[in-house]
Amino acid sequence: MPIMDEPAKCALERVRIVLCRPNHPGNIGSAARAMKNMGLADLWLVEPRRFPAPEAEWLATGAADLLASARVCARLTDALAECVAAYAVSARPREWSLEVLAARDAAGRVLNDAANGVVALVFGNESAGLTNDEMLACQRLVHIPANPAFSSLNLAQAVQVLSYELRVAAGLGSVAQAPGLPLATVADMEGLYAHLDQASLASGFQDPARPGRLRDRWRRLFSRTRLEREEVNILRGLLKALLRRNSNGQ
Ligand code: SAH
């Protein structure tokens, strides 16, 4: 990984995902996978109904290491003890009297807080969400904007959305492009234009007495694309072969 990404990576590693009383071990596995996909690693489980469990392993696939290092505790306060901030993640934001952050806005704030230490995102249980006490153990509330008539996401998918937003907020949201082949230079392009001119005159396509706007049109045409040097060579090779034929009188 390039050195430039290191601070962002460190900030992501200081974000803790806390699942409160998860019912389905499969969701724990999927959450672990979502986290590892996005570069998070610190998973805590408060009173999971069943863990470890084969369903968690199956759904975690390549993120089994996160399950192995997941911490299980009896109370939310244990998971939050060393954190400098905690964000409750809730499908029901109206029950919160303080400011509610949308997932995208929350991500930036979480990372800012993570500059000072570990920051927790606290998720509720599948059937009942977070209790009031769990919510009040946090300082802010985060909601993933969704269809108001059906706004409750699957637990692991909610973890996925937040983890992705954190990754984007950390500046790791772009895709590296494969290095392209060398582009044609201005001199290469001028060579091509001269060659086109020569071929169009030799073939009789262009009347030397009335050149019209043909030359301008080629320039416009090729300016709309970014030719590689190799592509210019192919076109010039073709023109050369046609000119050779023409001069041989074939
Ligand atoms: N039935 C529960 C929701 C359970 S979904 C309820 O009404 O609260 C399990 C957990 O996923 C939630 O506690 C929350 O942490 C997260 N979640 C699901 N949908 C969400 C949303 N739209 N915004 C934020 N968190 C969400």
Side-chain angles (χ1 to χ4, degrees):
M1 185 171 289
I3 303 221
M4 190 180 76
D5 288 346
E6 284 302 317
K9 190 171 160 262
C10 292
L12 288 178
E13 281 170 358
R14 277 196 298 274
V15 177
R16 172 171 300 175
I17 298 294
V18 181
L19 306 183
C20 292
R21 299 163 291 103
N23 284 331
H24 304 294
N27 275 337
I28 301 174
S30 295
R33 181 180 185 166
M35 288 172 63
K36 188 169 177 181
N37 282 147
M38 297 301 133
L40 278 71
D42 187 10
L43 174 63
W44 282 62
L45 308 170
V46 182
E47 276 194 314
R49 178 177 281 182
R50 200 154 49 80
F51 186 81
E55 298 96 309
E57 304 284 334
W58 298 335
L59 282 137
T61 61
D65 55 327
L66 256 76
L67 292 183
S69 63
R71 301 282 301 271
V72 178
C73 59
R75 289 169 316 215
L76 175 58
T77 45
D78 299 333
L80 301 185
E82 62 171 317
C83 296
V84 294
Y87 290 68
V89 186
S90 172
R92 287 175 286 137
R94 263 167 287 180
E95 291 165 21
W96 183 256
S97 50
L98 301 176
E99 184 192 12
V100 178
L101 300 167
R104 187 153 296 178
D105 303 324
R109 297 223 201 170
V110 169
L111 289 181
N112 271 344
D113 289 344
N116 303 311
V118 180
V119 180
L121 290 184
V122 181
F123 293 78
N125 143 291
E126 293 91 334
S127 41
L130 290 167
T131 64
N132 263 348
D133 285 349
E134 286 166 341
M135 249 187 227
L136 291 170
C138 305
Q139 300 85 46
R140 294 181 197 283
L141 192 115
V142 184
H143 178 64
I144 301 166
N147 175 2
F150 189 57
S151 65
S152 170
L153 279 70
N154 161 269
L155 169 59
Q157 290 174 355
V159 172
Q160 178 75 80
V161 171
L162 260 307
S163 304
Y164 174 73
E165 288 296 343
L166 285 165
R167 189 168 185 82
V168 174
L172 301 174
S174 52
V175 179
Q177 301 298 325
L181 292 170
L183 291 180
T185 62
V186 170
D188 293 331
M189 293 310 294
E190 290 302 332
L192 174 63
Y193 296 137
H195 217 148
L196 281 167
D197 212 30
Q198 189 191 352
S200 64
L201 287 168
S203 63
F205 180 71
Q206 190 183 167
D207 177 357
R210 285 188 298 133
R213 298 182 59 82
L214 195 56
R215 289 178 179 137
D216 298 354
R217 301 296 289 268
W218 282 330
R219 283 176 188 271
R220 273 185 55 192
L221 167 64
F222 287 113
S223 298
R224 284 203 298 274
T225 179
R226 298 209 313 165
L227 289 188
E228 289 165 2
R229 174 162 269 181
E230 188 64 26
E231 292 164 338
V232 170
N233 287 341
I234 291 170
L235 289 173
R236 293 196 63 182
L238 171 68
L239 293 171
K240 198 169 160 190
L242 291 172
L243 280 167
R244 201 183 307 123
R245 244 181 197 224
N246 202 36
S247 64
N248 290 344
Q250 288 172 334

